[in-house]
Amino acid sequence: MRTALLQSSGRTGSTAENLKVLDEAAGRAAAAGAGLLVAPEMFLTGYAIGDDIGRLAEPADGEAADAIAETATRHGLAIAYGYPERAAGQVFNSAQLISADGTRLANYRKTHLFGCFERDHFTPGEQTVVQAELNGLRVGLMICYDVEFPENVRAHALAGTDLLLVPTAQMHPFQFVAESVVPVRAFENQMYVAYVNRVGQEGEFDFVGLSTLAGPDGVARTRAGRGDELLLADVDPAFLAASREANPYLKDRRPGLYGSLI
């Protein structure tokens, strides 16, 4: 499945403008043969929006989700995007996957909040593994800081995730996560990992770009620079199956030895 990574911060504080950016990117991605477009963490509204998070947050089935479903249907590709989700009087840092026919396939709430900004504005999610079937692949969702916890990604591997989508707002000076940690996570868990970042300065945050799609061999299939980009790379189920056979980490585990981890 050809996968498009939208490295962009859109327009901070404007859902309407960000929906336009997503629509334009979906058109370009579809024209290039992509079956999936992935946007960054909090793409719908911008990340550094402070107390506006509560005002701009929407339900998972809100107006923005309907607009993105229409975009996905019109262009014929699935879309994953980050947004602030309002539910039951709380706000979550969430990511949603919508299919090419407009169906909401999966909604994930960030489980590991990073720094005072996120802890002050969001409630942490409680479900580690959220998955959906898409074009013959088992696709999982995670957000930014979550991927830096090896237990999180291993849980996805044990649940059979083939492609892990990680909308991200990775900032300076943590670019080594994109450069080194993400390819290692892909290799040690034998999956593809799509890590899709924001760019530029937003308030106190300096986002570093460097979005990537890493394969189960630990090799980046594509790598962005520090500016706005639309990247394309292929997720190959046959290569994934061969890699898992050659690197049987999950088969060779000895869970009985790992009790101290929990």
Side-chain angles (χ1 to χ4, degrees), residues 107-111 124-131 141 156:
N107 188 68
Y108 171 78
R109 295 167 176 171
K110 190 173 186 178
T111 54
E126 296 295 334
Q127 186 174 356
T128 301
V129 177
V130 173
Q131 299 171 311
L141 289 169
H156 268 275

Side-chain angles (χ1 to χ4, degrees), residues 199-222:
V199 293
Q201 194 80 28
E202 285 185 51
E204 64 185 290
F205 307 108
D206 182 13
F207 299 115
V208 299
L210 303 176
S211 299
T212 187
L213 193 149
D217 53 359
V219 175
R221 298 299 189 270
T222 186

Side-chain angles (χ1 to χ4, degrees), residues 101-116:
D101 66 4
T103 302
R104 293 190 302 110
L105 295 179
N107 188 68
Y108 171 78
R109 295 167 176 171
K110 190 173 186 178
T111 54
H112 295 75
L113 301 179
F114 179 79
C116 295

Side-chain angles (χ1 to χ4, degrees), residues 183-206:
V184 169
R185 289 286 179 271
F187 179 71
E188 68 191 4
N189 291 289
Q190 288 300 293
M191 62 175 63
Y192 285 90
V193 179
Y195 187 80
V196 187
N197 201 9
R198 306 179 67 82
V199 293
Q201 194 80 28
E202 285 185 51
E204 64 185 290
F205 307 108
D206 182 13

Side-chain angles (χ1 to χ4, degrees), residues 65-226:
D66 290 343
I68 293 171
E70 191 278 330
T71 293
T73 302
R74 180 159 37 84
H75 293 295
L77 81 173
I79 298 175
Y81 65 99
Y83 73 108
E85 177 194 0
R86 186 190 311 113
Q90 299 173 306
V91 178
F92 301 90
N93 184 338
S94 297
Q96 183 153 234
L97 174 64
I98 295 179
S99 73
D101 66 4
T103 302
R104 293 190 302 110
L105 295 179
N107 188 68
Y108 171 78
R109 295 167 176 171
K110 190 173 186 178
T111 54
H112 295 75
L113 301 179
F114 179 79
C116 295
F117 174 76
E118 291 191 8
R119 290 193 290 268
D120 286 346
H121 289 92
F122 298 111
T123 298
E126 296 295 334
Q127 186 174 356
T128 301
V129 177
V130 173
Q131 299 171 311
E133 298 297 321
L134 180 67
N135 296 344
L137 294 168
R138 185 168 294 180
V139 176
L141 289 169
M142 195 171 282
I143 299 174
C144 197
Y145 193 40
D146 290 327
V147 82
E148 297 175 40
F149 293 81
E151 302 90 342
N152 264 8
V153 188
R154 181 51 54 89
H156 268 275
L158 294 174
T161 294
D162 300 314
L163 169 61
L164 183 62
L165 309 182
V166 189
T168 293
Q170 183 60 265
M171 58 200 71
H172 179 81
F174 305 110
Q175 48 265 36
F176 67 90
V177 175
E179 295 168 340
S180 300
V181 174
V182 169
V184 169
R185 289 286 179 271
F187 179 71
E188 68 191 4
N189 291 289
Q190 288 300 293
M191 62 175 63
Y192 285 90
V193 179
Y195 187 80
V196 187
N197 201 9
R198 306 179 67 82
V199 293
Q201 194 80 28
E202 285 185 51
E204 64 185 290
F205 307 108
D206 182 13
F207 299 115
V208 299
L210 303 176
S211 299
T212 187
L213 193 149
D217 53 359
V219 175
R221 298 299 189 270
T222 186
R223 169 82 70 189
R226 300 299 183 94

